[in-house]
Amino acid sequence: MLSRRLLRVKVMQMVYAFNKNGDVSIPEMEKELFKSIAKSYELYHLFLLLITDIHAYAKNRIEKGRNKKIPSPADLNPNTRFIDNAVLQQLVDGPHLQRYLEVTPLSWAEHPELIRGLFNRIVESPLYEAYMDDDADDYASQQKFVVKIVEKVIAQYEPLYDQLEEHNIFWNDECEFIMSMVIKTLKEFQEDKGPEQNYQPEFKDAEDRDFVTRLFRKSLVKQNEFVELIQKYAQNWDLERVAYMDIVLMQIALAEILEFTEIPVKVSLNEYIELAKHYSTPKSSQFINGILDKVVEHFQAEKVLVKTGRGLME
């Protein structure tokens, strides 16, 4: 499932785009928002497909070695521990990925050099050498190996991100989030489930989908009100000289603080301060923190800030 933080990033991108494009309606941009979320989920499956393609490449190399006119002893008796890995086999045999690919065609077929390069990087890694020589061959050790290969080799392979950037300019910013979904998926594999293993859904539940919709709509519907408050408490700051992304982030943060009674104020503040560190200027997080603190005090004084349940926690 896409994390709440990534969902906030998606809303941020679309609010920014909406404000910069005067010729689009809120419903139209909302459709683009959910298309963007679907593209992130596509990246999740593209990473899973990449792992299965590396497995297929390794298997094909062994078959080619066995079918040589004059095979060597190593060709005839290869170490098949990698291709026999139970977790990789679950991934290859599982119907989830195949069903997704039937609806959303994805392929690494045009990038054989990437598959080859990744396989070679895996083979050259100490993780691979230790795994292939290890006496332990239980499911837990196989699973640990696959997770480590994804974390330490695939996720660190720079040519991969060059290819992804050609497909979608936003994907490189999302890779860390999506790779964590892949790793979470692999860690949750269970031997007794075989190919019927569960995968991460696009949204955790209906509540997360509702979170995106309400956050996006409220950020735009109450935009003028929020900008006036930001202007009021910015004091000596000229908003025309403030990074525009800062205003967008504060606009969305205020929508979340007011709209979602179950989310603690501190959680919302921390989330948007962190986003500012990644998507705005070096001084943005401090500026945003100061302004939002003042606006929250204003909400409390006006008794318009209502929090219930978990939202009462500080």
Side-chain angles (χ1 to χ4, degrees):
M1 62 192 171
L2 302 182
S3 68
R4 280 283 178 100
R5 179 165 293 181
L6 182 53
L7 295 178
R8 289 180 176 98
V9 169
K10 291 294 182 181
V11 172
M12 175 197 76
Q13 291 169 344
M14 291 303 154
V15 169
Y16 185 94
F18 178 88
N19 289 340
K20 289 296 185 181
N21 186 345
D23 271 342
V24 63
S25 68
I26 292 178
E28 287 172 330
M29 191 56 78
E30 188 176 306
K31 288 181 181 178
E32 291 303 312
L33 169 60
F34 280 95
K35 283 182 184 177
S36 178
I37 290 170
K39 290 296 289 184
S40 295
Y41 198 48
E42 180 179 309
L43 179 59
Y44 168 70
H45 289 88
L46 196 59
F47 280 145
L48 292 173
L49 180 62
L50 179 63
I51 299 169
T52 66
D53 281 2
I54 292 169
H55 179 270
Y57 178 82
K59 193 172 182 178
N60 188 50
R61 275 174 56 93
I62 288 176
E63 289 302 312
K64 283 184 176 180
R66 285 172 172 162
N67 292 327
K68 285 180 181 178
K69 289 184 178 180
I70 308 177
S72 68
D75 291 328
L76 293 173
N77 298 284
N79 186 340
T80 62
R81 176 172 281 195
F82 180 78
I83 64 171
D84 292 339
N85 182 287
V87 176
L88 292 177
Q89 202 60 56
Q90 278 178 291
L91 194 56
V92 171
D93 294 339
H96 172 93
L97 183 56
Q98 295 308 316
R99 284 196 297 263
Y100 184 86
L101 295 177
E102 288 172 4
V103 179
T104 310
L106 300 173
S107 175
W108 290 101
E110 295 183 4
H111 305 288
E113 73 290 343
L114 180 69
I115 304 299
R116 182 173 58 251
L118 263 171
F119 175 75
N120 290 336
R121 184 66 61 88
I122 290 170
V123 170
E124 293 164 1
S125 71
L127 288 169
Y128 180 88
E129 182 178 354
Y131 172 73
M132 297 297 276
D133 293 336
D134 195 354
D135 291 333
D137 197 27
D138 56 288
Y139 186 84
S141 63
Q142 294 179 43
Q143 185 175 37
K144 182 179 179 181
F145 165 72
V146 174
V147 169
K148 287 295 182 184
I149 284 296
V150 173
E151 287 179 333
K152 305 298 184 183
V153 181
I154 296 177
Q156 309 300 325
Y157 193 62
E158 287 300 326
L160 171 60
Y161 302 105
D162 295 336
Q163 295 292 347
L164 292 175
E165 192 169 18
E166 293 180 11
H167 287 277
N168 188 305
I169 59 173
F170 295 118
W171 272 355
N172 273 359
D173 285 339
E174 300 170 11
C175 281
E176 184 177 348
F177 294 109
I178 304 302
M179 194 65 80
S180 69
M181 284 177 63
V182 172
I183 291 168
K184 179 177 173 62
T185 299
L186 295 170
K187 285 182 175 179
E188 291 178 349
F189 269 32
Q190 298 176 29
E191 186 173 13
D192 59 356
K193 289 193 174 182
E196 300 299 329
Q197 181 62 48
N198 294 328
Y199 290 75
Q200 298 295 315
E202 186 173 12
F203 292 96
K204 181 180 70 175
D205 49 31
E207 187 178 318
D208 267 13
R209 178 180 282 275
D210 179 63
F211 171 79
V212 170
T213 303
R214 288 164 58 197
L215 183 61
F216 178 70
R217 291 177 183 175
K218 290 295 181 179
S219 296
L220 295 178
V221 169
K222 294 193 172 185
Q223 175 172 297
N224 292 338
E225 175 187 334
F226 293 151
V227 171
E228 286 178 9
L229 282 169
I230 293 166
Q231 177 77 71
K232 177 181 178 179
Y233 291 101
Q235 295 181 348
N236 298 326
W237 291 85
D238 180 358
L239 285 196
E240 292 185 0
R241 300 180 65 183
V242 172
Y244 188 67
M245 184 59 79
D246 290 1
I247 298 174
V248 169
L249 286 169
M250 287 188 283
Q251 177 182 338
I252 302 169
L254 294 176
E256 181 173 319
I257 288 167
L258 286 180
E259 181 68 14
F260 297 93
T261 60
E262 74 283 4
I263 301 177
V265 171
K266 190 171 183 179
V267 169
S268 297
L269 292 177
N270 288 342
E271 284 294 324
Y272 293 96
I273 290 167
E274 284 302 310
L275 290 182
K277 293 176 182 177
H278 291 282
Y279 293 97
S280 201
T281 69
K283 295 183 179 180
S284 291
S285 60
Q286 185 176 357
F287 170 71
I288 287 175
N289 187 32
I291 299 300
L292 290 180
D293 276 345
K294 293 174 183 176
V295 178
V296 167
E297 288 177 5
H298 165 81
F299 288 156
Q300 291 169 333
E302 294 293 315
K303 300 189 185 304
V304 297
L305 184 60
V306 179
K307 293 293 178 180
T308 60
R310 182 174 172 272
L312 294 169
M313 297 169 57
E314 287 297 337

